[in-house]
Amino acid sequence: AQSVTQPDIHITVSEGASLELRCNYSYGATPYLFWYVQSPGQGLQLLLKYFSGDTLVQGIKGFEAEFKRSQSSFNLRKPSVHWSDAAEYFCAVARPSNTGKLIFGQGTTLQVKP
Amino acid sequence: DVKVTQSSRYLVKRTGEKVFLECVQDMDHENMFWYRQDPGLGLRLIYFSYDVKMKEKGDIPEGYSVSREKKERFSLILESASTNQTSMYLCASSLFARPRGNTEAFFGQGTRLTVV
């Protein structure tokens, strides 16, 4: 069965520090990969997505993610975190199909220290 | 901009009540989804629909049903609400994409349901 694991439930970083959120997936082939962000009390906003091609993808708000097939990983990075980045982050995968059904990880809550 | 609108941000219902959660999207998307979000569990798919009157069960359909009479509207129904259905419910929509799967889901703001 397909699954997504985000090993870190909570992460705290200082403002201006770099950030990496981990995501590992279990799937028989290369799925489509997504990172979403959820601010408190809000819905989910897409940060970036990977379907094919260049394994380093750029997203909104200065985020990027790298797909590593050999490690079944799709880690999210940001070189310098801002206080407004405090939120919950979800990694998700989709089987290549027309339905677009997403399987989500458990989420990582990011806290930013001033 | 794509807009997915959920009719209520907060709901409080009593055990045994029939509860309707409504979702409307304005981008002519074929696919619509209902997810449930619980701390530590991420989002889990309850039901999805890829066309009017079409529906398929997701991972946790028990205790829920859905209705899609019009393309833009997808309703989640709790036939007899129970306290273990207290949760955040998120609706999403996406294109029925060609090439296959090359699409993204857009989410509503969520409905926080409390069953007492």
Side-chain angles (χ1 to χ4, degrees):
Chain A
Q2 303 157 50
S3 66
V4 180
T5 301
Q6 294 178 245
D8 305 304
I9 304 300
H10 287 97
I11 283 184
T12 300
V13 300
S14 297
E15 191 168 15
S18 64
L19 172 70
E20 182 170 32
L21 302 183
R22 295 182 290 163
C23 173
N24 294 95
Y25 65 89
S26 172
Y27 185 67
T30 300
Y32 295 152
L33 297 157
F34 306 81
W35 274 99
Y36 283 86
V37 61
Q38 184 181 36
S39 298
Q42 302 298 311
L44 273 68
Q45 181 184 21
L46 182 70
L47 284 175
L48 46 77
K49 58 191 177 186
Y50 173 79
F51 293 138
S52 64
D54 192 344
T55 57
L56 184 64
V57 294
Q58 303 297 321
I60 62 172
K61 305 185 180 187
F63 285 92
E64 67 176 27
E66 185 172 12
F67 168 58
K68 292 186 176 180
R69 185 192 307 272
S70 62
Q71 299 177 19
S72 296
S73 69
F74 188 56
N75 294 348
L76 182 71
R77 300 194 292 250
K78 187 170 185 178
S80 178
V81 169
H82 188 263
W83 64 266
S84 60
D85 293 324
E88 190 161 20
Y89 292 80
F90 291 96
C91 180
V93 304
R95 185 177 61 179
S97 73
N98 302 97
T99 64
K101 285 191 292 182
L102 293 167
I103 298 170
F104 284 87
Q106 302 91 326
T108 298
T109 300
L110 173 65
Q111 183 179 1
V112 181
K113 293 190 300 186
Chain B
D1 275 354
V2 175
K3 194 163 185 182
V4 180
T5 303
Q6 294 182 230
S7 54
S8 304
R9 293 294 301 274
Y10 300 93
L11 275 179
V12 180
K13 296 292 182 180
R14 295 195 179 276
T15 301
E17 275 193 76
K18 191 169 186 176
V19 181
F20 294 85
L21 303 184
E22 307 286 347
C23 176
V24 177
Q25 51 94 4
D26 64 359
M27 282 299 293
D28 204 35
H29 285 172
E30 292 86 357
N31 300 329
M32 295 190 74
F33 310 85
W34 276 106
Y35 289 89
R36 171 176 171 160
Q37 182 180 9
D38 299 290
L41 297 178
L43 280 74
R44 294 176 292 167
L45 182 64
I46 304 171
Y47 268 97
F48 79 100
S49 168
Y50 52 88
D51 200 354
V52 175
K53 296 191 185 296
M54 305 302 290
K55 61 185 180 184
E56 285 194 23
K57 294 179 180 179
D59 299 318
I60 51 165
E62 296 78 17
Y64 303 95
S65 62
V66 290
S67 172
R68 192 159 181 208
E69 298 295 319
K70 293 184 177 181
K71 189 175 185 180
E72 67 271 19
R73 186 179 298 269
F74 192 37
S75 303
L76 179 69
I77 304 156
L78 286 65
E79 298 290 343
S80 177
S82 65
T83 54
N84 62 13
Q85 293 178 309
T86 292
S87 187
M88 170 74 92
Y89 292 87
L90 289 162
C91 175
S93 71
S94 68
L95 283 170
F96 191 84
R98 297 171 178 82
R100 293 167 67 82
N102 191 359
T103 183
E104 66 181 83
F106 295 85
F107 284 81
Q109 296 286 78
T111 296
R112 184 163 295 282
L113 172 67
T114 302
V115 182
V116 297

